[in-house]
């Protein structure tokens, strides 16, 4: 097999044998792949610096019997700074696990890759609340996977605005306060959270972080976004309990 070159972001690294690593890499064209990086845990090895967790590198890969084998890894960016805070690490690990849980191998994943790189950048710069990054990722990634909630208006009466709304996380539709009360549901969104929800799901991806939200609305948005993501995942994420311990 001929070697080929691809950009890729390391989502997970697992030690294998004495100094090898098995990497889970998100690539734009092949989706999530596994690759063996021989001897890459040795500091003197040429693969050492480009194969670590959250490295965005240019990989030269060759197809092996059960997984790809890394021949070269030239690092372009490492998101070291996500580990400046425990909240940052917790969110980054959770987003990475959600990505490799949701992105199947062999499918194009350019949008997922751009979204995750953008989120890791925001976490490492520390300028955006990690809870905002988490909610953006959860809602946007679910929308990209085909679970876009119906956010235009109340499903039952067509109301577009109101102080409070209810998002049904199972069914993905909105109810205004009156229709929610008739249906026996308690509202889980205020107007600020609803605006942010619409922005995150509908705006062009370059502008995805260009919104402001109050702490009160963020608390509502965070709870709804997380619930929405978790009901659409087939299995619980292992990184979730660590995340909750650092970002309750
Ligand atoms: Zn209504």
């Amino acid at each position: 097999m001929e070697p080929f070159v691809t950009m890729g972001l390391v989502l997970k690294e697992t030690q294998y044998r004495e100094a090898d690593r098995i990497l889970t890499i998100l690539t734009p064209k092949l989706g999530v792949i596994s690759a063996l990086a021989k001897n890459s845990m040795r500091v003197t090895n040429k693969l050492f610096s480009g194969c670590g967790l959250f490295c965005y590198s240019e990989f030269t890969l060759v197809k092996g019997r059960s997984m790809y084998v890394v021949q070269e890894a030239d690092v372009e960016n490492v998101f070291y700074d996500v580990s400046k805070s425990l909240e940052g690490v917790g969110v980054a690990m959770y987003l990475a696990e959600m990505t490799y849980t949701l992105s199947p191998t062999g499918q194009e994943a350019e949008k997922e890759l751009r979204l995750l790189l953008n989120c890791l950048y925001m976490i490492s710069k520390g300028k955006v609340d990690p809870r905002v990054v988490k909610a953006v990722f959860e809602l946007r990634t679910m929308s990209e996977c085909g679970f876009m909630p119906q956010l235009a208006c109340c499903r039952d009466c067509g109301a577009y605005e109101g102080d409070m709304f209810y998002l049904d996380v199972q069914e993905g539709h909105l109810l205004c306060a009156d229709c929610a009360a008739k249906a026996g549901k308690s509202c889980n969104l205020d107007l600020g959270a609803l605006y942010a929800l619409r922005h995150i799901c509908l705006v062009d991806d370059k502008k995805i972080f260009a919104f402001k939200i109050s702490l009160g609305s963020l608390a509502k948005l965070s709870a709804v976004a997380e619930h929405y993501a978790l009901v659409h995942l087939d299995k619980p994420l292992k990184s979730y309990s660590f995340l909750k311990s650092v970002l309750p």
Side-chain angles (χ1 to χ4, degrees):
M1 286 297 253
E2 284 290 301
F4 64 97
V5 175
T6 178
M7 293 307 294
L9 176 68
V10 179
L11 300 179
K12 186 179 170 189
E13 51 172 357
T14 309
Q15 186 176 355
Y16 181 64
R17 297 202 190 106
E18 195 188 334
D20 299 351
R21 278 186 283 199
I22 294 174
L23 308 179
T24 303
I25 307 172
L26 179 63
T27 67
K29 299 280 180 236
L30 298 167
V32 176
I33 59 169
S34 295
L36 176 65
K38 285 181 192 159
N39 289 315
S40 66
M41 293 189 72
R42 296 189 205 284
V43 185
T44 51
N45 188 271
K46 65 173 181 175
L47 299 180
F48 177 78
S49 59
C51 290
L53 185 63
F54 302 132
C55 280
Y56 181 57
S57 302
E58 184 186 85
F59 289 97
T60 303
L61 302 172
V62 65
K63 201 159 175 140
R65 262 176 301 177
S66 60
M67 66 179 84
Y68 293 96
V69 177
V70 181
Q71 290 190 335
E72 308 276 343
D74 292 322
V75 65
E76 185 176 299
N77 197 355
V78 193
F79 295 94
Y80 286 126
D81 286 351
V82 298
S83 49
K84 275 196 299 202
S85 72
L86 276 177
E87 292 92 339
V89 180
V91 173
M93 303 286 282
Y94 171 81
L95 304 192
E97 187 183 356
M98 195 177 291
T99 303
Y100 64 72
T101 305
L102 285 168
S103 299
T105 301
Q107 284 189 14
E108 196 177 288
E110 186 116 36
K111 279 185 178 172
E112 289 86 343
L113 179 59
R114 274 210 310 271
L115 175 65
L116 187 54
L117 288 171
N118 198 356
C119 288
L120 293 179
Y121 176 81
M122 287 298 171
I123 296 170
S124 59
K125 288 290 156 196
K127 287 181 181 165
V128 176
D129 189 317
R131 289 169 301 172
V132 169
V133 179
K134 173 174 170 282
V136 163
F137 186 85
E138 288 167 330
L139 292 166
R140 190 71 177 211
T141 206
M142 286 300 148
S143 297
E144 301 289 359
C145 289
F147 301 114
M148 167 98 82
Q150 299 298 313
L151 297 172
C153 56
C154 170
R155 182 196 65 177
D156 291 357
C157 74
Y160 176 75
E161 285 190 333
D163 291 339
M164 298 296 285
F165 266 84
Y166 170 73
L167 179 75
D168 186 312
V169 294
Q170 294 281 353
E171 304 295 331
H173 62 250
L174 283 176
L175 294 177
C176 71
D178 290 345
C179 295
K182 279 181 210 153
K185 307 288 186 188
S186 323
C187 287
N188 52 11
L189 295 169
D190 61 12
L191 194 56
L194 177 62
Y195 278 161
L197 191 63
R198 284 183 176 138
H199 176 93
I200 293 165
C201 292
L202 302 171
V203 81
D204 184 77
D205 55 8
K206 289 194 182 67
K207 296 180 190 147
I208 198 159
F209 284 102
F211 68 96
K212 291 213 177 346
I213 187 164
S214 70
L215 283 176
S217 296
L218 177 58
K220 291 190 160 53
L221 178 73
S222 296
V224 166
E226 180 177 300
H227 198 180
Y228 193 73
L230 297 182
V231 298
H232 287 97
L233 285 164
D234 290 339
K235 52 181 180 182
L237 298 180
K238 290 190 203 116
S239 55
Y240 182 75
S241 55
F242 173 64
L243 173 69
K244 287 286 115 176
S245 72
V246 294
L247 196 71

